[in-house]
Every structure is written in C-alpha cells, then in structure tokens.
Amino acid sequence: MTQDAEVIVVGAGPAGSTVATYLARAGVDVLLLEKTTFPRDKVCGDGLTPRGVKQLIDLGIDTSQEAGWVHSRGLRILTGELTLELDWPDLASYPPYGVARTRHDFDDLLARTAVKAGARLRERTTVTGAITDERTGRVVGVEAKAGEDRRPVSYRAPLVLACDGVSARLALSVGIEKDDRRPMGVAVRRYYRSPRHAEPYIEGHLELWDRSDPARPRLLPGYGWAFPLGDGTVNVGLGILSTSKAFRNTDYRALLRSWLDSTPEEWGYREDNAVGRIGGAGLPMGFNRTPHYRDGLLLLGDAGGMVSPFNGEGISAAMESAQLAAEHVVQALARPEGPSRERVLRGYPVALGELMGGYYRLGNLFAKAIGKPSVMRAATRYGLRVNPLIPLVYKGLSGCYDAKGGDFVDRLISAASRLTPSPR
C-alpha cells in the first residue's frame, strides 16, 4: 500500500501544530492537513495561564513581550460584592506569568513553527472521515476535499492523529461518540476597544447574571472573562456549562450584550467600541470523548474532550496531549508493526489519564455542583471570603499547581484528583 506520510495530523490548531512540530523534529515524515488557510481566526479567550506558557517554552518559542506577547501577572476575580487580585503562583513546574495573543496570530505562529521543523502543511484540505482497512478495521488514512474546488483526495499513513477540534469528525467516522454524562460548555466572545487593554491582570467574573427579565434576574453557571491584548482592545466573553437548565434555551449573544451593558461605561464594553462580530464555539470538557486511542487513530485536544471543566481552558491541555502523543508515536514507529507497536500506542491514553484524568474527574464534579444556582451563589458569596481557601480555589481552578511536591495546597489538589472516583 502506498503511503503518503508516516503520520497524518488532521487540524493545525494548537494540538495539531504542536504534535507535528515534535514529530518532525524527531525525523518523522508528517503530513499536516488544515481546512482553512493561515492566518485565520478562532473563537477563544486568547489567554494562556502559566500552564500553557510552559508548553510554548517547551516548543522553544520566545514568550517575551518583545516577541509580541502580552504578559499577565495574575488573575483578578470579580463578583457582585468582592474583587480579588491574585498573582500567578510561584511554582517549580510553571513560569510565574501568563500570556495573551489573538488566535489569529497564535495559531499562525504555531503552524509556521511546525513547517519550519519539517512538517508538510496542506491548507484548504477538509478531512471528511477516516479510511479503514476492510479486514482489520484499522485506520490507515483519511478522505478529504481539497482546494477551492473541493476535489476529493485521500491520504494514507500508518498512524492518524485527530486534532480536528470540537467537531471530532474523524472520531465520529469510526464510531467514537461523546459521553453525554460529561459537561459541555458554550463560549461567546467579542473584541472591544477599551482603556483596560493594558491591565496587568486577566479577569474572571464569577457572577454571571441574566437580566433579560429585570423582575427575575438569573444567576447562571458560568463565568465571564476579559483578556487585555495590549493593542487597544480587550477580548471579552462568557462561558456557560451544560449542567445548567439554562444551557439549551439561552440566547448567548444577547446574554453577552446584556452582561456587558451592566459593566461600568468607562470600561468601554459597548456596541460603539465593538470590533468585529460576536463569535461562539462549543467547549468539549472532561474527557467527554474516549477512547483516546483505537486502531491507529489518536485523539488530541478538543477532539478528545480535553477542555478543563474548571476554567474552560483548552489550549494548554491540547498542547500537553500533543507532547504526550508525539512521545508515544515516535517510540511506536521505532518498532515493527504489530503487538509491540500497539503496546506503545495503548500507553498514550494511560499517560493522558495519569496527567489529566483525576483533575478532570474532580472538575466534572465541580461543573455538576455549580449547575445549581444556590451552590454557585454560596460559593461566590462566602467561599472567596475565607482567606485560607483562596489558594486552594485559585490553584485548583487555574490548574496551576505542582503535581509532584509543592506546598500543602499543591499536595491537597493532587491527592483530591487521585482519590476522586470515576463517573459511572
């Protein structure tokens, strides 16, 4: 059988470009397929916590402000009655700063890094499904439509990596369905010209009120954010969890406008200052699609439901999964096809589970709990006033803790993650 590459990577977002970079640097022939062209935009908060910054540093990317990154020193938490400014924790595992950059620039940078490493990028190539071996059922390539004329094409390789985001088209084509027991989120965002564009803190608004009916305001299970981009604009958005009864019957764009109209006018979050349209996207959370490896197909990032149920961040997990996938693929390709290679590949979901599984199980319980407005209200009104709890809440929600060693709070989060039972 003619092979077009040793590995096909579908999707050149953070997961796809990162794994393509690592594989190409290891000498693997990588074909990277992307449905759009770069530079291109994505709906996202545009901000990375220190956990995500570590992944950029591991790739060898310059994260300095001189290289175009906007640094954050921490998180500002706002509720209706309280404002907290918390610097990023000083940890052995992660740098003490976050960064922000529009996905328009960020994804383009990562894709160019992959090409520089030796990956072969083909844009305007929309993968429609997997090609499987009729005898074994193993994934041996992909079908796609290429170019402006969307001509049918196919590509073959011993291994295929699904980095195709929330659509998870590849996984669906081989019958890997999402688990509806795991939480989903919806996020909407817009850019605004604002004097707050150079603030040193990213913001998390933990009380998200639907005031469309002034007589009956509703507290929703989600949060709002503001990521200063240093260029005169701020990325402002909100996310809602599926654990709420309001999840399927809310006009999210109208909710965003309603919420922003209630913010101080001097912040600038008004229609006259808006840049571009409101964008929305789904957030697949808490490993909501498994298995992460089956018969020659690996799921990475959003395709495998790797958005944090705690804070809605998916970029750092996507890049972490890419690093793990690259390690296992390189080791697998060094072995002959057959049982020995399969043993290595089956180690990928095991490694993912060890890195993220317990934390996500804990996050799934958290998402279920705050789906109840009374719990959400109590958590924001009382929990953040208990000073000893603040480091626990902060490190837990941000995912910025030392999994090995660290202080008492780090060890407590790690222990809670290990001891949280798997959902039935």
Side-chain angles (χ1 to χ4, degrees):
M1 184 183 299
T2 302
Q3 293 179 352
D4 297 286
E6 289 181 281
V7 175
I8 294 171
V9 177
V10 179
S17 290
T18 298
V19 75
T21 299
Y22 282 125
L23 291 174
R25 286 175 179 172
V28 177
D29 180 21
V30 183
L31 183 60
L32 178 59
L33 306 178
E34 167 59 35
K35 65 183 180 181
T36 62
T37 59
F38 290 101
R40 54 109 163 102
D41 200 14
K42 280 284 187 178
V43 175
C44 185
D46 293 342
L48 277 75
T49 66
R51 187 162 186 153
V53 181
K54 177 189 182 298
Q55 291 300 311
L56 294 173
I57 294 170
D58 285 350
L59 272 178
I61 291 175
D62 181 358
T63 62
S64 68
Q65 297 181 71
E66 291 75 18
W69 299 92
V70 176
H71 282 206
S72 63
R73 61 178 290 180
L75 173 65
R76 180 183 293 130
I77 298 176
L78 298 97
T79 71
E81 304 163 350
L82 187 67
T83 297
L84 297 175
E85 290 186 347
L86 306 171
D87 288 354
W88 296 119
D90 189 5
L91 303 170
S93 301
Y94 308 114
Y97 61 93
V99 298
R101 192 166 187 153
T102 67
R103 288 292 296 271
H104 183 272
D105 295 335
F106 181 80
D107 287 21
D108 184 39
L109 172 63
L110 290 186
R112 286 190 282 108
T113 300
V115 170
K116 185 178 180 180
R120 293 181 287 133
L121 172 64
R122 296 194 180 175
E123 299 171 277
R124 296 186 187 275
T125 304
T126 302
V127 171
T128 55
I131 300 172
T132 57
D133 185 283
E134 293 182 359
R135 182 176 59 86
T136 65
R138 187 176 182 83
V139 174
V140 293
V142 298
E143 301 279 3
K145 296 186 181 297
E148 293 185 4
D149 58 353
R150 295 183 60 78
R151 64 187 182 281
V153 295
S154 62
Y155 302 101
R156 293 178 179 267
L159 293 173
V160 176
L161 278 56
C163 308
D164 49 351
V166 64
S167 68
R169 188 173 295 178
L170 263 180
L172 288 172
S173 74
V174 295
I176 302 177
E177 303 286 342
K178 67 182 177 70
D179 185 345
D180 289 329
R181 297 171 300 174
R182 309 289 170 86
M184 278 286 295
V186 169
V188 291
R189 66 97 176 98
R190 200 176 196 182
Y191 296 97
Y192 290 86
R193 291 182 293 273
S194 169
R196 297 169 69 82
H197 72 98
E199 289 285 310
Y201 291 92
I202 63 173
E203 288 185 352
H205 296 252
L206 299 190
E207 287 191 7
L208 195 60
W209 289 93
D210 176 7
R211 303 185 188 276
S212 54
D213 181 354
R216 299 183 63 186
R218 294 184 302 161
L219 181 64
L220 299 176
Y223 69 97
W225 71 74
F227 288 89
L229 296 174
D231 62 354
T233 66
V234 178
N235 178 316
V236 189
L238 60 85
I240 301 290
L241 295 171
S242 61
T243 51
S244 162
K245 293 179 181 179
F247 181 70
R248 298 190 184 280
N249 57 4
T250 296
D251 182 337
Y252 295 100
R253 287 167 172 78
L255 178 59
L256 178 65
R257 295 189 189 98
S258 173
W259 169 52
L260 294 182
D261 283 344
S262 70
T263 61
E265 190 166 352
E266 60 268 22
W267 290 5
Y269 304 154
R270 297 293 188 271
E271 190 68 27
D272 290 347
N273 297 319
V275 179
R277 297 179 296 177
I278 297 175
L283 303 176
M285 296 177 165
F287 284 175
N288 79 334
R289 195 180 303 275
T290 57
H292 291 125
Y293 172 72
R294 179 196 286 172
D295 297 330
L297 178 68
L298 291 81
L299 309 187
L300 284 69
D302 286 10
M306 297 181 200
V307 175
S308 169
F310 283 111
N311 60 22
E313 183 181 16
I315 294 177
S316 61
M319 298 178 75
E320 288 173 358
S321 72
Q323 196 171 36
L324 285 177
E327 291 172 3
H328 285 81
V329 167
V330 167
Q331 292 298 323
L333 290 177
R335 303 184 181 200
E337 290 188 46
S340 179
R341 179 178 289 186
E342 284 300 296
R343 274 194 291 274
V344 177
L345 294 170
R346 286 196 295 268
Y348 167 65
V350 174
L352 273 179
E354 291 174 350
L355 179 65
M356 307 178 197
Y359 180 67
Y360 280 176
R361 286 196 301 270
L362 201 59
N364 291 341
L365 294 176
F366 168 81
K368 185 176 181 180
I370 69 167
K372 302 172 182 176
S374 58
V375 174
M376 184 67 171
R377 183 61 171 157
T380 56
R381 176 173 286 183
Y382 304 114
L384 293 176
R385 296 183 184 278
V386 182
N387 286 336
L389 283 180
I390 291 175
L392 177 64
V393 172
Y394 185 37
K395 287 187 174 184
L397 294 184
S398 69
C400 295
Y401 62 95
D402 281 322
K404 297 180 180 178
D407 62 16
F408 173 75
V409 172
D410 299 321
R411 295 192 297 272
L412 184 59
I413 297 171
S414 297
S417 298
R418 290 193 302 270
L419 296 174
T420 303
S422 298
R424 294 176 181 244

